[in-house]
Protein backbone atom coordinates (compact mmCIF):
# COMPACT_ATOMS: atom_id res chain seq x y z
CA UNK A 1 0.00 0.00 0.00
CA UNK A 2 2.77 2.47 0.93
CA UNK A 3 4.34 1.84 -2.49
CA UNK A 4 1.31 3.02 -4.48
CA UNK A 5 0.04 5.71 -2.10
CA UNK A 6 2.23 8.51 -3.58
CA UNK A 7 0.64 7.93 -7.00
CA UNK A 8 -3.02 8.37 -5.95
CA UNK A 9 -3.03 12.04 -6.96
CA UNK A 10 -0.16 11.80 -9.43
CA UNK A 11 -0.38 13.23 -12.93
CA UNK A 12 2.38 10.92 -14.18
CA UNK A 13 1.51 8.77 -17.21
CA UNK A 14 0.54 5.20 -16.25
CA UNK A 15 3.50 3.85 -18.19
CA UNK A 16 5.86 5.97 -16.06
CA UNK A 17 4.16 4.87 -12.83
CA UNK A 18 4.50 1.21 -13.83
CA UNK A 19 8.16 1.80 -14.66
CA UNK A 20 8.87 3.39 -11.27
CA UNK A 21 7.01 0.58 -9.47
CA UNK A 22 8.80 -2.01 -11.62
CA UNK A 23 5.55 -3.78 -12.56
CA UNK A 24 4.09 -5.08 -15.82
CA UNK A 25 0.43 -4.33 -15.04
CA UNK A 26 -1.62 -1.97 -12.90
CA UNK A 27 -4.94 -2.68 -11.21
CA UNK A 28 -7.42 0.18 -11.08
CA UNK A 29 -10.49 0.08 -8.87
CA UNK A 30 -13.16 1.91 -6.93
CA UNK A 31 -15.11 1.21 -3.77
CA UNK A 32 -18.81 2.05 -3.39
CA UNK A 33 -21.10 1.75 -0.35
CA UNK A 34 -24.88 2.13 -0.44
CA UNK A 35 -26.64 1.41 2.83
CA UNK A 36 -25.32 -1.95 3.95
CA UNK A 37 -24.23 -2.97 0.45
CA UNK A 38 -20.69 -2.71 -0.89
CA UNK A 39 -19.45 -2.93 -4.47
CA UNK A 40 -15.86 -3.03 -5.68
CA UNK A 41 -14.88 -2.71 -9.35
CA UNK A 42 -11.39 -3.61 -10.61
CA UNK A 43 -9.73 -3.40 -14.01
CA UNK A 44 -6.38 -4.73 -15.19
CA UNK A 45 -4.38 -2.18 -17.20
CA UNK A 46 -1.47 -2.81 -19.54
CA UNK A 47 0.39 0.52 -19.15
CA UNK A 48 2.31 0.10 -22.40
CA UNK A 49 -0.84 0.54 -24.49
CA UNK A 50 -3.41 1.55 -21.82
CA UNK A 51 -5.48 -1.50 -22.72
CA UNK A 52 -7.98 -2.36 -19.97
CA UNK A 53 -8.88 -6.01 -19.60
CA UNK A 54 -12.07 -7.54 -18.28
CA UNK A 55 -13.61 -6.12 -15.14
CA UNK A 56 -13.69 -8.02 -11.86
CA UNK A 57 -16.38 -7.13 -9.34
CA UNK A 58 -17.14 -7.91 -5.74
CA UNK A 59 -20.60 -7.49 -4.17
CA UNK A 60 -21.36 -8.03 -0.52
CA UNK A 61 -22.76 -6.85 2.76
CA UNK A 62 -20.86 -4.02 4.45
CA UNK A 63 -20.08 -4.99 8.01
CA UNK A 64 -17.21 -3.33 9.82
CA UNK A 65 -16.72 -6.49 11.90
CA UNK A 66 -15.92 -8.36 8.67
CA UNK A 67 -13.44 -5.83 7.31
CA UNK A 68 -10.65 -8.37 6.75
CA UNK A 69 -12.90 -10.89 5.02
CA UNK A 70 -13.92 -8.12 2.59
CA UNK A 71 -10.24 -7.33 2.01
CA UNK A 72 -9.54 -11.01 1.38
CA UNK A 73 -12.36 -11.23 -1.17
CA UNK A 74 -11.01 -8.17 -2.97
CA UNK A 75 -7.49 -9.64 -2.97
CA UNK A 76 -8.86 -12.88 -4.40
CA UNK A 77 -10.54 -10.83 -7.12
CA UNK A 78 -7.22 -9.22 -8.02
CA UNK A 79 -5.56 -12.65 -8.14
CA UNK A 80 -8.31 -13.92 -10.44
CA UNK A 81 -8.04 -10.82 -12.61
CA UNK A 82 -4.30 -11.36 -13.03
CA UNK A 83 -4.82 -15.08 -13.65
CA UNK A 84 -2.18 -15.91 -11.06
CA UNK A 85 -1.36 -19.32 -9.66
CA UNK A 86 -0.65 -19.06 -5.94
CA UNK A 87 0.21 -21.63 -3.29
CA UNK A 88 -1.96 -22.73 -0.40
CA UNK A 89 0.27 -20.82 2.04
CA UNK A 90 -0.13 -17.66 -0.05
CA UNK A 91 -3.91 -18.13 -0.03
CA UNK A 92 -3.78 -18.45 3.75
CA UNK A 93 -1.75 -15.25 3.95
CA UNK A 94 -4.31 -13.37 1.84
CA UNK A 95 -7.14 -14.67 4.02
CA UNK A 96 -5.36 -14.15 7.33
CA UNK A 97 -7.15 -11.95 9.89
CA UNK A 98 -4.50 -10.12 11.98
CA UNK A 99 -7.01 -9.00 14.63
CA UNK A 100 -10.75 -9.24 15.22
CA UNK A 101 -10.71 -5.84 16.93
CA UNK A 102 -11.18 -3.03 14.42
CA UNK A 103 -10.34 -0.33 16.95
CA UNK A 104 -7.05 -2.07 17.71
CA UNK A 105 -6.32 -2.25 13.99
CA UNK A 106 -7.07 1.47 13.61
CA UNK A 107 -4.60 2.30 16.38
CA UNK A 108 -2.01 0.11 14.67
CA UNK A 109 -2.45 1.89 11.31
CA UNK A 110 -2.26 5.29 13.02
CA UNK A 111 0.91 4.14 14.77
CA UNK A 112 2.47 3.11 11.48
CA UNK A 113 1.70 6.52 10.01
CA UNK A 114 3.22 8.32 13.00
CA UNK A 115 6.31 6.11 12.93
CA UNK A 116 6.86 6.88 9.24
CA UNK A 117 7.10 10.59 10.08
CA UNK A 118 10.59 9.81 11.40
CA UNK A 119 10.63 12.44 14.11
CA UNK A 120 10.80 12.45 17.91
CA UNK A 121 7.15 13.47 18.06
CA UNK A 122 6.11 10.79 15.57
CA UNK A 123 8.07 8.12 17.42
CA UNK A 124 6.44 8.99 20.74
CA UNK A 125 2.97 9.12 19.15
CA UNK A 126 3.55 5.74 17.53
CA UNK A 127 4.69 4.22 20.83
CA UNK A 128 1.42 5.31 22.48
CA UNK A 129 -0.73 4.11 19.56
CA UNK A 130 0.93 0.69 19.28
CA UNK A 131 0.52 0.27 23.05
CA UNK A 132 -3.19 1.08 22.76
CA UNK A 133 -3.55 -1.47 19.96
CA UNK A 134 -1.98 -4.13 22.19
CA UNK A 135 -4.20 -3.18 25.14
CA UNK A 136 -7.29 -3.77 23.00
CA UNK A 137 -6.01 -7.04 21.51
CA UNK A 138 -3.00 -8.61 23.22
CA UNK A 139 -2.89 -11.37 20.57
CA UNK A 140 -2.38 -8.87 17.70
CA UNK A 141 1.30 -9.43 16.81
CA UNK A 142 2.11 -6.54 14.46
CA UNK A 143 1.91 -3.76 17.09
CA UNK A 144 4.48 -5.67 19.17
CA UNK A 145 6.88 -5.68 16.21
CA UNK A 146 6.25 -1.97 15.61
CA UNK A 147 6.78 -1.15 19.27
CA UNK A 148 10.06 -3.08 19.41
CA UNK A 149 11.23 -1.35 16.23
CA UNK A 150 10.46 2.02 17.82
CA UNK A 151 12.65 1.22 20.82
CA UNK A 152 15.49 0.09 18.55
CA UNK A 153 15.40 3.18 16.35
CA UNK A 154 14.79 5.71 19.11
CA UNK A 155 17.75 4.41 21.08
CA UNK A 156 20.00 4.10 18.07
CA UNK A 157 19.66 7.50 16.43
CA UNK A 158 17.25 10.09 17.70
CA UNK A 159 18.38 10.56 21.27
CA UNK A 160 14.82 9.90 22.41
CA UNK A 161 15.74 7.01 24.71
CA UNK A 162 19.03 5.94 26.23
CA UNK A 163 20.57 2.95 24.49
CA UNK A 164 20.44 0.50 27.41
CA UNK A 165 16.82 1.38 28.19
CA UNK A 166 15.83 1.07 24.53
CA UNK A 167 17.45 -2.33 24.02
CA UNK A 168 16.14 -3.73 27.33
CA UNK A 169 12.57 -2.74 26.41
CA UNK A 170 12.93 -4.03 22.85
CA UNK A 171 14.14 -7.45 24.04
CA UNK A 172 11.18 -7.72 26.43
CA UNK A 173 8.74 -6.98 23.60
CA UNK A 174 10.42 -9.43 21.22
CA UNK A 175 10.00 -12.17 23.83
CA UNK A 176 6.30 -11.35 24.17
CA UNK A 177 5.83 -11.27 20.38
CA UNK A 178 7.47 -14.67 19.92
CA UNK A 179 5.33 -16.08 22.72
CA UNK A 180 2.14 -14.71 21.15
CA UNK A 181 3.07 -15.90 17.64
CA UNK A 182 2.01 -19.49 18.32
CA UNK A 183 1.59 -20.30 14.61
CA UNK A 184 4.96 -18.70 13.76
CA UNK A 185 3.39 -16.52 11.07
CA UNK A 186 5.59 -13.56 12.03
CA UNK A 187 8.55 -15.57 13.27
CA UNK A 188 11.01 -14.51 10.55
CA UNK A 189 9.97 -10.88 10.80
CA UNK A 190 10.42 -10.87 14.59
CA UNK A 191 13.80 -12.62 14.38
CA UNK A 192 14.95 -10.25 11.61
CA UNK A 193 13.97 -7.17 13.59
CA UNK A 194 15.55 -8.54 16.76
CA UNK A 195 18.81 -9.21 14.88
CA UNK A 196 19.01 -5.51 14.10
CA UNK A 197 19.05 -4.79 17.80
CA UNK A 198 21.58 -7.56 18.46
CA UNK A 199 23.88 -6.03 15.88
CA UNK A 200 23.59 -2.39 16.95
CA UNK A 201 23.35 -2.82 20.71
CA UNK A 202 25.08 -6.12 21.52
CA UNK A 203 27.67 -6.23 18.70
CA UNK A 204 26.77 -9.90 18.46
CA UNK A 205 28.82 -10.60 15.33
CA UNK A 206 29.11 -14.36 15.81
CA UNK A 207 25.38 -15.00 16.05
CA UNK A 208 24.52 -12.59 13.26
CA UNK A 209 27.20 -14.07 11.01
CA UNK A 210 25.52 -17.47 11.36
CA UNK A 211 22.22 -16.02 10.17
CA UNK A 212 23.98 -14.10 7.43
CA UNK A 213 25.61 -17.25 6.06
CA UNK A 214 22.35 -19.18 6.31
CA UNK A 215 20.11 -16.61 4.68
CA UNK A 216 22.29 -14.33 2.60
CA UNK A 217 21.03 -15.84 -0.67
CA UNK A 218 17.50 -14.71 0.25
CA UNK A 219 18.60 -11.55 2.01
CA UNK A 220 15.84 -9.07 2.74
CA UNK A 221 13.22 -11.42 1.32
CA UNK A 222 14.03 -14.24 3.74
CA UNK A 223 14.51 -12.30 6.94
CA UNK A 224 12.76 -9.06 6.05
CA UNK A 225 15.70 -7.29 7.65
CA UNK A 226 18.09 -4.98 5.88
CA UNK A 227 20.65 -5.64 8.63
CA UNK A 228 21.39 -9.14 7.41
CA UNK A 229 20.85 -8.25 3.77
CA UNK A 230 22.66 -4.95 3.64
CA UNK A 231 23.85 -3.05 6.70
CA UNK A 232 25.71 -5.97 8.25
CA UNK A 233 27.30 -6.81 4.90
CA UNK A 234 28.59 -3.30 4.23
CA UNK A 235 29.86 -2.74 7.77
CA UNK A 236 31.84 -5.96 7.55
CA UNK A 237 33.40 -5.03 4.21
CA UNK A 238 31.39 -7.27 1.86
CA UNK A 239 30.36 -4.55 -0.54
CA UNK A 240 29.48 -6.75 -3.52
CA UNK A 241 27.09 -8.78 -1.37
CA UNK A 242 25.66 -5.58 0.12
CA UNK A 243 25.10 -4.28 -3.42
CA UNK A 244 23.36 -7.52 -4.38
CA UNK A 245 21.01 -7.22 -1.41
CA UNK A 246 20.22 -3.66 -2.39
CA UNK A 247 19.30 -4.85 -5.88
CA UNK A 248 16.98 -7.45 -4.32
CA UNK A 249 15.37 -4.75 -2.20
CA UNK A 250 14.88 -2.46 -5.20
CA UNK A 251 13.23 -5.21 -7.23
CA UNK A 252 10.90 -5.89 -4.33
CA UNK A 253 10.02 -2.21 -3.79
CA UNK A 254 11.56 0.45 -6.08
CA UNK A 255 9.77 3.29 -4.28
CA UNK A 256 12.02 3.30 -1.17
CA UNK A 257 14.43 6.21 -1.52
CA UNK A 258 17.02 4.92 0.94
CA UNK A 259 17.66 1.88 -1.27
CA UNK A 260 19.01 4.14 -4.02
CA UNK A 261 21.26 5.88 -1.51
CA UNK A 262 22.45 2.47 -0.29
CA UNK A 263 23.29 1.50 -3.86
CA UNK A 264 25.21 4.73 -4.41
CA UNK A 265 27.10 4.16 -1.16
CA UNK A 266 28.18 0.69 -2.29
CA UNK A 267 29.45 2.07 -5.59
CA UNK A 268 31.48 4.59 -3.59
CA UNK A 269 32.99 1.83 -1.45
CA UNK A 270 33.77 -0.18 -4.59
CA UNK A 271 35.66 2.78 -6.07
CA UNK A 272 32.99 3.48 -8.68
CA UNK A 273 32.45 7.11 -7.72
CA UNK A 274 30.97 8.27 -11.02
CA UNK A 275 28.29 5.58 -10.88
CA UNK A 276 27.52 6.65 -7.31
CA UNK A 277 27.09 10.25 -8.49
CA UNK A 278 24.88 9.16 -11.38
CA UNK A 279 22.50 7.33 -9.03
CA UNK A 280 22.32 10.31 -6.68
CA UNK A 281 21.76 12.76 -9.54
CA UNK A 282 18.79 10.74 -10.80
CA UNK A 283 17.36 10.17 -7.33
CA UNK A 284 17.76 13.53 -5.59
CA UNK A 285 14.62 15.08 -7.05
CA UNK A 286 12.48 11.98 -6.57
CA UNK A 287 13.29 11.56 -2.88
CA UNK A 288 13.98 15.10 -1.72
CA UNK A 289 11.57 14.73 1.22
CA UNK A 290 12.68 11.23 2.26
CA UNK A 291 14.47 11.43 5.63
CA UNK A 292 16.72 8.41 5.23
CA UNK A 293 17.58 9.22 1.62
CA UNK A 294 18.58 12.75 2.61
CA UNK A 295 20.62 11.55 5.59
CA UNK A 296 22.60 9.02 3.59
CA UNK A 297 22.97 11.03 0.39
CA UNK A 298 24.31 13.99 2.40
CA UNK A 299 27.01 11.73 3.83
CA UNK A 300 27.83 10.21 0.44
CA UNK A 301 28.29 13.63 -1.16
CA UNK A 302 30.67 14.48 1.69
CA UNK A 303 32.71 11.32 1.12
CA UNK A 304 32.72 12.00 -2.63
CA UNK A 305 34.09 15.50 -1.96
CA UNK A 306 31.12 17.24 -3.60
CA UNK A 307 30.64 19.90 -0.92
CA UNK A 308 28.18 21.91 -2.98
CA UNK A 309 25.72 19.00 -3.16
CA UNK A 310 26.59 18.02 0.41
CA UNK A 311 25.46 21.47 1.55
CA UNK A 312 22.31 21.43 -0.60
CA UNK A 313 21.19 18.07 0.77
CA UNK A 314 21.91 19.18 4.33
CA UNK A 315 19.82 22.32 3.79
CA UNK A 316 16.86 20.17 2.69
CA UNK A 317 17.30 17.94 5.72
CA UNK A 318 17.38 20.87 8.15
CA UNK A 319 14.42 22.58 6.50
CA UNK A 320 12.06 19.60 6.38
CA UNK A 321 12.91 17.71 9.56
CA UNK A 322 13.01 19.54 12.91
CA UNK A 323 15.00 16.98 14.92
CA UNK A 324 18.75 17.33 15.48
CA UNK A 325 20.21 13.96 16.49
CA UNK A 326 24.03 13.74 16.82
CA UNK A 327 24.41 12.63 13.19
CA UNK A 328 22.82 15.84 11.90
CA UNK A 329 24.84 17.95 14.36
CA UNK A 330 28.00 16.29 13.03
CA UNK A 331 27.02 17.01 9.42
CA UNK A 332 26.34 20.63 10.39
CA UNK A 333 29.71 20.80 12.16
CA UNK A 334 31.52 19.45 9.09
CA UNK A 335 29.89 22.10 6.90
CA UNK A 336 30.80 24.78 9.41
CA UNK A 337 34.43 23.66 9.38
CA UNK A 338 34.41 23.53 5.56
CA UNK A 339 33.07 27.11 5.45
CA UNK A 340 35.62 28.24 8.08
CA UNK A 341 32.80 29.37 10.37
CA UNK A 342 34.39 29.48 13.84
CA UNK A 343 31.12 30.44 15.57
CA UNK A 344 29.34 27.51 13.97
CA UNK A 345 32.21 25.20 14.89
CA UNK A 346 31.89 26.11 18.55
CA UNK A 347 28.10 25.83 18.50
CA UNK A 348 27.88 22.33 17.04
CA UNK A 349 30.91 21.05 18.92
CA UNK A 350 29.31 22.14 22.19
CA UNK A 351 25.99 20.54 21.24
CA UNK A 352 27.70 17.20 20.62
CA UNK A 353 29.61 17.52 23.88
CA UNK A 354 26.33 18.16 25.72
CA UNK A 355 24.80 15.07 24.13
CA UNK A 356 27.74 13.00 25.33
CA UNK A 357 27.70 14.46 28.83
CA UNK A 358 23.95 13.83 29.11
CA UNK A 359 24.48 10.23 27.93
CA UNK A 360 22.09 10.82 25.05
CA UNK A 361 21.69 8.15 22.41
CA UNK A 362 22.67 8.70 18.81
CA UNK A 363 26.43 8.04 19.35
CA UNK A 364 27.70 11.58 20.12
CA UNK A 365 31.19 10.34 21.09
CA UNK A 366 31.50 8.54 17.75
CA UNK A 367 30.63 11.69 15.80
CA UNK A 368 33.04 13.75 17.88
CA UNK A 369 35.71 11.22 16.88
CA UNK A 370 34.78 11.66 13.21
CA UNK A 371 35.01 15.42 13.58
CA UNK A 372 38.57 15.14 14.87
CA UNK A 373 39.38 12.65 12.10
CA UNK A 374 38.10 15.20 9.60
CA UNK A 375 40.44 17.91 10.92
CA UNK A 376 43.34 15.45 11.22
CA UNK A 377 43.76 15.30 15.01
CA UNK A 378 44.59 11.61 15.52
CA UNK A 379 45.00 11.75 19.30
CA UNK A 380 41.59 13.37 19.81
CA UNK A 381 40.08 10.92 17.34
CA UNK A 382 41.23 7.95 19.42
CA UNK A 383 40.26 9.66 22.66
CA UNK A 384 36.67 9.91 21.48
CA UNK A 385 36.66 6.49 19.84
CA UNK A 386 37.62 5.05 23.21
CA UNK A 387 34.74 6.95 24.83
CA UNK A 388 32.39 5.69 22.14
CA UNK A 389 33.52 2.14 22.87
CA UNK A 390 33.08 2.58 26.61
CA UNK A 391 29.55 3.94 26.05
CA UNK A 392 28.87 0.97 23.75
CA UNK A 393 27.52 3.31 21.07
CA UNK A 394 25.74 1.75 18.11
CA UNK A 395 27.85 3.62 15.52
CA UNK A 396 30.92 1.66 16.66
CA UNK A 397 29.60 -1.02 14.28
CA UNK A 398 31.07 1.26 11.56
CA UNK A 399 34.61 0.96 12.98
CA UNK A 400 35.78 -1.53 10.35
CA UNK A 401 34.73 0.44 7.25
CA UNK A 402 34.25 4.11 8.19
CA UNK A 403 36.05 6.00 5.38
CA UNK A 404 37.44 8.72 7.68
CA UNK A 405 39.26 6.09 9.75
CA UNK A 406 41.01 4.40 6.82
CA UNK A 407 44.38 6.15 7.45
CA UNK A 408 44.37 4.97 11.09
CA UNK A 409 43.89 1.22 10.63
CA UNK A 410 47.53 0.36 11.29
CA UNK A 411 47.65 2.40 14.50
CA UNK A 412 47.93 0.14 17.62
CA UNK A 413 45.07 2.09 19.21
CA UNK A 414 42.81 1.23 16.30
CA UNK A 415 43.83 -2.43 16.38
CA UNK A 416 43.11 -2.59 20.11
CA UNK A 417 39.62 -1.10 19.70
CA UNK A 418 38.91 -3.30 16.70
CA UNK A 419 39.71 -6.44 18.69
CA UNK A 420 37.64 -5.32 21.68
CA UNK A 421 34.54 -4.60 19.56
CA UNK A 422 34.82 -8.16 18.32
CA UNK A 423 34.84 -8.07 14.51
CA UNK A 424 35.43 -11.68 13.36
CA UNK A 425 37.35 -10.52 10.26
CA UNK A 426 40.84 -9.21 9.50
CA UNK A 427 41.34 -5.44 9.60
CA UNK A 428 40.95 -3.85 6.19
CA UNK A 429 44.14 -2.43 4.62
CA UNK A 430 45.23 1.06 5.66
CA UNK A 431 44.50 3.57 2.92
CA UNK A 432 44.29 7.32 2.58
CA UNK A 433 40.89 8.94 2.79
CA UNK A 434 40.35 10.59 -0.58
CA UNK A 435 37.04 12.39 -1.21
Amino acid sequence: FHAVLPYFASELPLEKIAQQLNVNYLVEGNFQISGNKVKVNMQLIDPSNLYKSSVSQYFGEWNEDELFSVQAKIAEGVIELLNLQITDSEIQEVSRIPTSNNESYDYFLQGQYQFMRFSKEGIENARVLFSKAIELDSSFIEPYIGLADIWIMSGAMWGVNKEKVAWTNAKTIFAKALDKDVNKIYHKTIIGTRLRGQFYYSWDFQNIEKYFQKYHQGGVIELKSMVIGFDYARKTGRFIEALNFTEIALKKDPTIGSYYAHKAFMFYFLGRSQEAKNILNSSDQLFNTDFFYLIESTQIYYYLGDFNMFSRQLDKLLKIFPDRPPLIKWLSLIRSVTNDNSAGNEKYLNLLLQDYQNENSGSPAWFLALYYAHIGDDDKTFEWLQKSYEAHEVEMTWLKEEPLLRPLRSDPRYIDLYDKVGFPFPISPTTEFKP
Side-chain angles (χ1 to χ4, degrees):
F1 177 74
H2 74 275
V4 300
L5 185 60
Y7 299 98
F8 281 0
S10 174
E11 296 181 359
L12 285 174
L14 292 178
E15 186 174 7
K16 186 67 174 178
I17 293 175
Q19 183 181 9
Q20 290 184 3
L21 289 171
N22 194 29
V23 297
N24 294 322
Y25 296 95
L26 298 171
V27 175
E28 181 184 68
N30 58 65
F31 187 87
Q32 300 172 348
I33 296 179
S34 178
N36 65 341
K37 302 292 183 182
V38 61
K39 177 183 177 184
V40 180
N41 298 304
M42 291 170 288
Q43 285 184 310
L44 181 66
I45 303 173
D46 183 342
S48 63
N49 56 22
L50 300 185
Y51 172 74
K52 296 186 178 182
S53 74
S54 58
V55 176
S56 176
Q57 296 181 325
Y58 166 78
F59 298 90
E61 298 287 331
W62 175 247
N63 186 337
E64 289 187 2
D65 293 335
E66 298 179 359
L67 172 64
F68 297 108
S69 63
V70 172
Q71 289 182 354
K73 290 292 184 182
I74 293 171
E76 290 170 7
V78 173
I79 292 167
E80 181 181 347
L81 194 63
L82 294 171
N83 195 28
L84 295 176
Q85 299 297 319
I86 65 174
T87 65
D88 290 341
S89 62
E90 288 171 329
I91 291 173
Q92 290 177 359
E93 177 64 21
V94 168
S95 304
R96 181 177 55 80
I97 299 175
T99 175
S100 58
N101 189 308
N102 287 341
E103 189 178 2
S104 176
Y105 191 65
D106 286 343
Y107 279 131
F108 168 68
L109 293 178
Q110 292 171 33
Q112 281 191 313
Y113 171 77
Q114 289 295 322
F115 191 23
M116 295 299 290
R117 290 172 58 193
F118 298 123
S119 66
K120 286 184 179 180
E121 182 183 46
I123 286 171
E124 179 56 27
N125 289 341
R127 186 189 65 78
V128 172
L129 290 162
F130 286 147
S131 297
K132 286 183 177 180
I134 292 169
E135 287 174 10
L136 290 170
D137 183 359
S138 63
S139 65
F140 185 13
I141 306 297
E142 290 174 88
Y144 288 97
I145 300 171
L147 196 55
D149 211 10
I150 281 175
W151 283 112
I152 288 175
M153 292 190 67
S154 65
M157 180 176 182
W158 263 271
V160 177
N161 299 291
K162 296 186 185 302
E163 290 189 13
K164 289 183 180 179
V165 173
W167 183 223
T168 297
N169 285 325
K171 286 188 290 186
T172 300
I173 295 165
F174 284 132
K176 289 180 181 179
L178 288 170
D179 183 59
K180 299 285 185 181
D181 188 25
V182 291
N183 296 318
K184 295 190 175 182
I185 295 172
Y186 297 94
H187 193 72
K188 288 182 179 179
T189 301
I190 296 168
I191 294 297
T193 309
R194 187 177 65 182
L195 281 170
R196 181 159 67 246
Q198 287 177 259
F199 180 40
Y200 294 150
Y201 294 99
S202 300
W203 305 343
D204 188 358
F205 292 97
Q206 290 188 340
N207 188 38
I208 296 171
E209 181 65 21
K210 290 177 184 177
Y211 277 95
F212 181 84
Q213 293 299 332
K214 183 177 180 180
Y215 289 109
H216 77 278
Q217 293 300 323
V220 295
I221 295 174
E222 287 292 336
L223 280 178
K224 296 180 170 59
S225 169
M226 282 298 286
V227 169
I228 304 306
F230 173 74
D231 204 30
Y232 179 71
R234 66 172 175 173
K235 288 180 178 178
T236 53
R238 287 168 285 190
F239 304 127
I240 292 293
E241 288 172 281
L243 181 60
N244 290 340
F245 284 120
T246 306
E247 296 287 9
I248 292 171
L250 281 168
K251 287 179 181 178
K252 186 178 180 184
D253 191 343
T255 67
I256 305 297
S258 59
Y259 293 168
Y260 296 91
H262 295 339
K263 186 174 181 179
F265 215 168
M266 290 311 96
F267 280 140
Y268 163 77
F269 276 117
L270 291 167
R272 297 156 64 177
S273 295
Q274 189 55 54
E275 289 173 87
K277 291 178 181 178
N278 291 343
I279 292 172
L280 295 176
N281 289 340
S282 62
S283 304
D284 285 345
Q285 188 61 37
L286 292 174
F287 304 107
N288 61 8
T289 60
D290 183 306
F291 178 82
F292 286 108
Y293 178 82
L294 288 175
I295 278 282
E296 190 140 324
S297 62
T298 303
Q299 294 176 79
I300 301 169
Y301 278 123
Y302 163 64
Y303 292 130
L304 289 168
D306 189 336
F307 291 103
N308 180 48
M309 286 304 301
F310 160 75
S311 187
R312 285 181 59 183
Q313 295 299 90
L314 181 56
D315 281 338
K316 293 177 188 176
L317 197 59
L318 296 174
K319 181 179 180 180
I320 298 172
F321 299 97
D323 297 339
R324 300 292 181 264
L327 171 55
I328 292 181
K329 292 170 185 172
W330 171 67
L331 292 170
S332 300
L333 177 57
I334 292 297
R335 178 165 67 175
S336 182
V337 172
T338 303
N339 293 336
D340 198 22
N341 180 353
S342 57
N345 297 353
E346 184 177 1
K347 171 187 174 181
Y348 291 112
L349 193 56
N350 285 335
L351 287 172
L352 284 170
L353 284 167
Q354 288 172 21
D355 281 337
Y356 172 73
Q357 290 164 358
N358 293 333
E359 299 182 352
N360 291 343
S361 62
S363 303
W366 171 264
F367 288 112
L368 283 163
L370 294 194
Y371 158 70
Y372 285 111
H374 173 81
I375 65 173
D377 189 332
D378 293 354
D379 290 339
K380 282 287 189 180
T381 298
F382 281 112
E383 177 185 333
W384 283 101
L385 284 176
Q386 179 63 34
K387 291 178 179 178
S388 181
Y389 168 77
E390 291 170 356
H392 211 87
E393 292 182 339
V394 298
E395 291 295 331
M396 282 296 288
T397 54
W398 264 115
L399 183 66
K400 178 174 169 54
E401 297 300 340
E402 166 56 46
L404 280 166
L405 301 181
R406 287 173 183 167
L408 305 178
R409 289 172 180 167
S410 60
D411 191 298
R413 294 168 291 184
Y414 178 91
I415 297 170
D416 178 59
L417 279 171
Y418 188 89
D419 290 340
K420 287 193 293 188
V421 171
F423 288 95
F425 311 97
I427 294 175
S428 300
T430 300
T431 59
E432 183 181 354
F433 170 62
K434 291 183 178 180

